Amino acid sequence: MRTISETDNDFVCDIKSPCFQLLTPDEVEVVRASKTQVLFRKGENLTKQGAFASYVLFVMSGIAKQHLEGDASKSLNLRIIRTGEFVGLSSVFGKNVFNYSVVALTDTLVFLIEKSAMTKVVQQNGMFAFTLIRRYCEQNTILYDTLRNHTYKQMNGRLADALLYIDSINKDNEDVFTLLSRRDIAEFAGLSTESTVKLLKTFEKDGLISLDEKSVVISNHDALIEISKRG
């Protein structure tokens, strides 16, 4: 992790995301005065589950993975976080701790914005608050879908869901599969690594996917969608 000062070449001097364009000039100054620009290297934690949350993170560039930590050997991956997304909104509307961990899959540049500043502009600016609440609800929808899939679907359906989700991220980013281990894929599906490796080979044998080292290429989307539906 490296804090970036205004004299660094990597410094971003302005808040250019569309959601921040909803703020008044005075509100922009409140956010600007309270933010710190930080570069997280690949593999570093942006947040740690259970840690005190005094700030909200806004991703300027990079890709990260959000997950719930269990015991030392188990984890559940929830979603991929991309450029333009917030991390830690629950600390604004809920508890003062991070409910999940986030780890950088690539070098990730973020703004750390003090929670007090976010709370202030949310209270003052209805449209900005609406945007944040909508994002927060979208994240909750992902959590509910994950819970439903892991509760009611069998292994084939859960792995199909995980592959389709990760592949959907690829449309706007580099090949995310190459950033993930087989264990990462397993933790998106809520399966063991061993079961995931066996199922991937079965899917490949059936012509649904092709495997090339860490990369996974979906060859038959319709068939995977059908497996997902059947659960």
Side-chain angles (χ1 to χ4, degrees):
M1 183 180 76
R2 179 169 69 91
T3 300
I4 299 176
S5 66
E6 295 186 14
T7 58
D8 292 332
N9 292 331
D10 295 331
F11 183 77
V12 178
C13 62
D14 200 4
I15 302 174
K16 298 179 180 179
S17 174
C19 69
F20 289 115
Q21 304 307 309
L22 298 171
L23 301 180
T24 66
D26 288 343
E27 290 164 348
V28 168
E29 286 304 314
V30 169
V31 173
R32 182 178 286 117
S34 70
K35 71 176 176 64
T36 303
Q37 192 174 153
V38 176
L39 177 65
F40 290 91
R41 299 298 186 185
K42 179 179 179 180
E44 292 184 333
N45 278 93
L46 279 69
T47 68
K48 185 66 175 176
Q49 182 175 315
F52 179 72
S54 60
Y55 53 82
V56 174
L57 299 87
F58 181 77
V59 179
M60 297 295 296
S61 64
I63 303 173
K65 177 189 69 174
Q66 176 185 345
H67 65 279
L68 291 176
E69 298 184 29
D71 57 33
S73 62
K74 291 184 179 180
S75 181
L76 176 62
N77 290 334
L78 299 175
R79 67 187 182 104
I80 300 293
I81 296 172
R82 295 171 282 176
T83 299
E85 296 191 39
F86 284 97
V87 176
L89 286 179
S90 57
S91 68
V92 175
F93 301 106
K95 296 181 179 179
N96 291 323
V97 297
F98 291 115
N99 297 318
Y100 47 78
S101 294
V102 176
V103 62
L105 295 176
T106 64
D107 288 353
T108 303
L109 182 66
V110 305
F111 285 155
L112 306 184
I113 305 173
E114 293 177 11
K115 190 175 70 173
S116 58
M118 289 293 292
T119 301
K120 182 175 181 178
V121 295
V122 164
Q123 292 173 337
Q124 293 178 349
N125 190 313
M127 284 304 299
F128 182 71
F130 174 78
T131 299
L132 287 192
I133 292 171
R134 183 173 60 188
R135 289 175 180 236
Y136 188 60
C137 291
E138 289 171 353
Q139 293 176 16
N140 278 347
T141 297
I142 293 174
L143 297 181
Y144 293 139
D145 287 342
T146 299
L147 177 62
R148 180 173 60 251
N149 293 340
H150 289 191
T151 302
Y152 298 113
K153 290 188 177 183
Q154 299 181 23
M155 292 193 298
N156 282 14
R158 283 149 63 182
L159 182 58
D161 283 338
L163 295 177
L164 289 168
Y165 169 69
I166 297 169
D167 186 66
S168 71
I169 305 296
N170 284 340
K171 295 177 181 178
D172 301 316
N173 298 275
E174 60 184 288
D175 186 357
V176 179
F177 281 111
T178 63
L179 305 175
L180 302 173
S181 66
R182 292 296 186 254
R183 178 175 177 176
D184 288 325
I185 295 175
E187 291 175 349
F188 271 110
L191 304 173
S192 68
T193 303
E194 293 77 11
S195 295
T196 297
V197 170
K198 291 178 181 178
L199 281 175
L200 286 173
K201 292 180 179 178
T202 299
F203 282 4
E204 183 178 39
K205 182 179 179 180
D206 293 340
L208 305 179
I209 63 174
S210 59
L211 303 175
D212 181 12
E213 296 182 352
K214 293 183 70 175
S215 183
V216 179
V217 178
I218 295 181
S219 307
N220 194 332
H221 280 81
D222 291 340
L224 274 185
I225 291 172
E226 187 60 31
I227 292 174
S228 172
K229 289 180 180 178
R230 293 201 309 266

